[in-house]
Amino acid sequence: MFCLLLSGSMIGVYAIVYHVSCKHFPSPALSDSYSLNEKLEFLRSAKKDAHVLAVGSSIALNNLHSETIAKRISGHFLNTSSWGMNMGDNYSLLKAICDVYHPDTLIIASSISEFEVPAKKADYDLVKKYLTAGDFTAGLYHIECFNLRYYMDNVKYKKLVTSVKNQYEYLVFDQYGGVNIDDTNFEIDQRRWKADFDKKRMNANNYDYVDSISSFCKSKNIKLLFFQSPFREGIYTKLNDEKANDLKTHVNRIGAILERDEHVLIDADKILWNDSLFIDGEHFSAKGAKAFTAYCFDELKSVKSKPVVTAGVTH
């Protein structure tokens, strides 16, 4: 109790010094990812009737255009993605949320660079309980998962990411859980603008998790739509032969897994995407996200496999 009182006093002083308020108080530390924690709080408060779900990293969070998806499906859509999720994280989260939402369609928007990302630390059994908790019970998770450093680091940070729209770290979810970034007066980070991927940093275990996700979806009668998100034209056209081949091998490896389980892969790198649609090498602006999402759903119409999607997606 003494420690809690002391911590509360410190947070109070912090709030005064940095001009923050209760609305900048971060969500419970259910994981070591600020973005995932905020998304879990959003999901807990959202309706549980969404049968079309998206999972993934910032690629799925930023590059899927929520309103376009909502218009293309019958029923409700929810984007459960958050920053820095790799395929192992996606698989763990999918298992935790599947019994909460009972989806019939799952969308993954992904880039090869995600296969370089280390795994998050999260108790997904706790996550599953949290998603169905009431407001009072959910508040108790602040005590159960209490970490003073987490709050000290993220109160001021939450104020930043929720107040400035035209930045990479903008994190205000739309009604579907997506974040499409306004590129008006956007300041490009040249390091991010020029980045592609590093095969040496990729973890092959991610392919095993793609396999696990695919198999899990098949066992649950969930149709998986895997949208391979493209690099901007200025990067894609300058990939050397080795990297171009690595990217092709990556997509083919995923495609083989999905084909086995009668799922669908849409490879958006089949066409070139103008640099003006991007805010870095692979993240779209809001207008780019709208074009990419429309392209993927248009491509679904030409897929010959049966069925292309379940009742979740309208043709």
Side-chain angles (χ1 to χ4, degrees):
M1 183 62 70
F2 173 77
C3 291
L4 287 175
L5 290 173
L6 179 61
S7 299
S9 299
M10 294 175 66
I11 292 173
V13 172
Y14 184 98
I16 294 172
V17 172
Y18 290 104
H19 306 288
V20 293
S21 63
C22 293
K23 69 179 182 179
H24 302 122
F25 202 67
S27 301
L30 296 168
S31 74
D32 64 347
S33 167
Y34 167 79
S35 173
L36 178 57
N37 295 336
E38 292 296 321
K39 176 50 67 77
L40 293 173
E41 170 59 19
F42 171 86
L43 295 176
R44 187 191 66 80
S45 303
K47 293 180 179 180
K48 302 299 189 292
D49 59 351
H51 62 277
V52 180
L53 300 180
V55 299
S57 69
S58 58
I59 296 296
L61 182 67
N62 298 147
N63 289 4
L64 291 174
H65 192 261
S66 298
E67 292 184 1
T68 298
I69 295 177
K71 291 177 181 178
R72 295 292 189 106
I73 67 172
S74 59
H76 298 104
F77 165 69
L78 199 59
N79 192 327
T80 71
S81 309
S82 63
W83 300 336
M85 299 284 279
N86 65 20
M87 288 300 160
D89 299 321
N90 292 336
Y91 179 53
S92 297
L93 180 62
L94 173 61
K95 290 192 297 180
I97 65 178
C98 188
D99 290 336
V100 176
Y101 296 100
H102 304 287
D104 58 44
T105 304
L106 180 71
I107 301 173
I108 295 179
S110 174
S111 172
I112 188 173
S113 62
E114 292 175 349
F115 285 60
E116 303 173 24
V117 178
K120 305 295 181 197
K121 294 180 180 179
D123 183 341
Y124 285 98
D125 289 331
L126 196 64
V127 165
K128 186 175 181 179
K129 294 178 182 178
Y130 179 76
L131 289 176
T132 56
D135 290 343
F136 176 77
T137 303
L140 298 178
Y141 282 76
H142 283 286
I143 299 175
E144 183 172 351
C145 305
F146 184 76
N147 182 327
L148 179 59
R149 171 53 60 186
Y150 168 78
Y151 291 105
M152 297 297 286
D153 287 344
N154 290 310
V155 170
K156 184 181 178 182
Y157 184 61
K158 184 169 184 175
K159 180 180 180 180
L160 171 67
V161 300
T162 57
S163 59
V164 182
K165 292 184 177 181
N166 55 343
Q167 60 160 326
Y168 290 110
E169 295 177 308
Y170 182 60
L171 197 67
V172 175
F173 305 117
D174 60 31
Q175 62 177 310
Y176 306 99
V179 180
N180 298 134
I181 298 179
D182 183 2
D183 63 353
T184 304
N185 299 320
F186 195 94
E187 185 175 347
I188 297 290
D189 181 329
Q190 289 301 314
R191 180 188 60 82
R192 292 183 57 144
W193 183 252
K194 298 175 182 178
D196 47 48
F197 65 94
D198 184 354
K199 183 182 178 182
K200 294 180 180 178
R201 297 178 57 188
M202 292 173 60
N203 189 333
N205 289 337
N206 281 292
Y207 294 105
D208 295 331
Y209 282 115
V210 172
D211 188 286
S212 296
I213 292 170
S214 181
S215 296
F216 180 84
C217 286
K218 184 176 183 178
S219 71
K220 297 289 186 179
N221 199 30
I222 300 170
K223 193 64 182 181
L224 173 58
L225 309 178
F226 196 105
F227 298 163
Q228 180 66 26
S229 191
F231 288 104
R232 63 181 180 85
E233 181 177 0
I235 285 182
Y236 185 79
T237 56
K238 294 179 181 178
L239 292 176
N240 60 37
D241 291 343
E242 181 180 0
K243 282 201 168 185
N245 185 64
D246 288 340
L247 181 57
K248 182 178 180 180
T249 300
H250 167 80
V251 175
N252 288 342
R253 186 170 181 179
I254 292 173
I257 294 171
L258 300 178
E259 184 178 8
R260 179 201 66 199
D261 293 327
E262 299 182 337
H263 298 310
V264 178
L265 169 67
I266 302 297
D267 182 9
D269 268 323
K270 288 184 176 180
I271 65 172
L272 295 178
W273 295 83
N274 193 278
D275 291 355
S276 64
L277 298 173
F278 292 80
I279 55 175
D280 65 13
E282 56 187 347
H283 290 87
F284 283 113
S285 64
K287 63 183 178 182
K290 184 175 183 179
F292 166 68
T293 307
Y295 169 84
C296 290
F297 274 85
D298 287 343
E299 285 294 294
L300 286 175
K301 297 178 182 179
S302 64
V303 175
K304 303 298 184 180
S305 58
K306 62 170 187 177
V308 173
V309 274
T310 59
V313 176
T314 302
H315 294 269

